[in-house]
Amino acid sequence: MAIIQYAGEYLIEECKLCTVGGFELDLSDLIASVNIYEDIFQNAISGDISFADTNNILGNARVVGQEKLKLKLSTPQEGDPDSRNLTINFTDSPLQIYKINSKVNVNDRTVAFNLSFTTPELLRNNTVRVQKAYEGEPADKMVKEVFRDEELISSKKELYYEETSNFFKIVGSNQRPFDFINSLARRCLSKEYNEAPTFLFYETVKGYFFRSLDSMMDRKNPKLVYRELTPNSDEETRNNPSLTLNNILHYDVVSTTDTISSRRSGLYGSKLLLLDIFNKDYKEFDFDYLENFDEDKHVDEFNAYGSERAPIASEVVDDYNKKISEYPDSILHVQMIERDTVDGLYNPAFSDTSQSVDYTGTDKWLQRRKSRIAALNSAVTLRLRVPGNTTLQSGDLIGVNLMKKNSGASSTELDPTLSGRYLVRKLHHMFTRGDGLFKHEILLECVRDTVSEAFPSDGVVAQTTGPMTDEIIPLGSADPSDVTY
């Protein structure tokens, strides 16, 4: 049993390259670095691995970019080192090498190789098509079927999914499997979270996920809490390096709210126009971000530090006596439909009475989903560099404590704007090896769709005024003698 010696230490338990020549090469001693990338908006993980080859092993193996990589990395700790949650394990489902990035002669005896890899599911996705009609099945069942079908993705990995409330009639018209699943995800409504239309399909080092943003944010406590601390050198820390595992090594504020782009993306408000071309009728649906805020789960759904309702916009009224979310014409969505369906049932979008037919029309998901995704793209975004942790993955909820940058403030006072709960949107595992150290660090891109404390809404003192003068621009002089140059 190995015990951690310093924050970010890792172990290489296995690294074998399975070549097209039928050989299995043990390259554990040649690893220089490993990078693994996760993103909740990407269907598969990716990465690269570098080797320092002093015996021309890779050269003799004739690497061509069609190999498989068995890789297992773990963090030394007390307890069971083979626990699934404590390792990054690609031995049962090897990674797929698809590109040779570089081959550089470092010196007379050493050649540096860098190989790109991804998961076999992504390569499989690029070679098959969905050619099947699905009728009367919930979306989560369709996703599982496409994911497990031997004629399609044929994956043996873990699939963590959330149940959907709607049933579909849909035809996979020669779509790639991931494109088919993504098209389903856009229209799926959550069974557990007030019909939330925010499903995503993505992969982490722990497996595949088909879930809504609401399920990611529905945690009473963050998975980890990172603090802006400077690792001290006292005896307690030297004897227990695990105390520094939650330190923030560096951070940047990547972006903050942009109200212009947020208006144009449909975050605050939008209008949907359904056109019934057969019956020459139409219906409008207006979306109001502030009015609909409580329908969804948010990163601060549970918190012990701030307001219960804290959207990323103030509810103050402007010069026109309107809130920022009361402009539905900021973005216009138009869709043409036929009110009377093929089986003679009346379209629920044009009816005030409940229907027995399942309905997944655009008015149920488009505006709400657009607003939720825009909130992640437009809200406060932090990029953190922290010590490596093999349990953390994209889609997790974390806590971040940053100190208030004010000379008059106490050293323990937290920044009220940047501190709080965040959703991990992107994650980059960085495993390096050098100077006798095995170092694991993580770059996190995390976002939040709320603030710790609600913005004030007392009003903006300055009002727009002006002379309101309208003048015709005078013509130039008609007298040539006026010209002096």
Side-chain angles (χ1 to χ4, degrees), residues 234-262:
D234 58 27
E235 184 175 355
E236 181 183 9
T237 302
R238 288 196 301 270
N239 294 333
N240 189 3
S242 62
L243 293 177
T244 62
L245 283 174
N246 289 4
N247 281 359
I248 297 175
L249 305 177
H250 180 76
Y251 78 91
D252 294 305
V253 181
V254 180
S255 64
T256 55
T257 302
D258 182 339
T259 56
I260 290 181
S261 64
S262 295

Side-chain angles (χ1 to χ4, degrees), residues 120-129 151-153 176-177:
E121 287 80 7
L122 181 61
L123 268 65
R124 179 72 174 169
N125 175 69
N126 292 325
T127 60
V128 295
R129 304 271 180 175
E151 300 297 324
L152 297 174
I153 297 299
R176 299 190 189 279

Side-chain angles (χ1 to χ4, degrees), residues 189-208:
L189 306 178
S190 173
K191 185 177 181 179
E192 298 294 334
Y193 297 104
N194 193 26
E195 296 193 327
T198 54
F199 275 82
L200 299 173
F201 179 69
Y202 64 96
E203 184 188 16
T204 74
V205 294
K206 305 300 182 184
Y208 270 87

Side-chain angles (χ1 to χ4, degrees), residues 329-356:
D329 289 326
S330 298
I331 183 169
L332 177 64
H333 304 286
V334 180
Q335 183 179 14
M336 291 184 291
I337 64 172
E338 183 178 340
R339 184 192 299 185
D340 296 314
T341 58
V342 176
D343 54 6
L345 293 172
Y346 199 62
N347 192 315
F350 285 81
S351 175
D352 296 329
T353 60
S354 61
Q355 302 291 324
S356 59

Side-chain angles (χ1 to χ4, degrees), residues 12-43:
I12 303 174
E13 296 194 25
E14 185 174 338
C15 180
K16 295 180 179 178
L17 188 69
C18 303
T19 70
V20 295
F23 300 103
E24 193 172 85
L25 306 178
D26 189 344
L27 304 179
S28 301
D29 295 333
L30 305 184
I31 291 180
S33 66
V34 180
N35 294 289
I36 303 176
Y37 304 90
E38 301 176 3
D39 188 337
I40 61 174
F41 290 99
Q42 296 295 326
N43 298 135

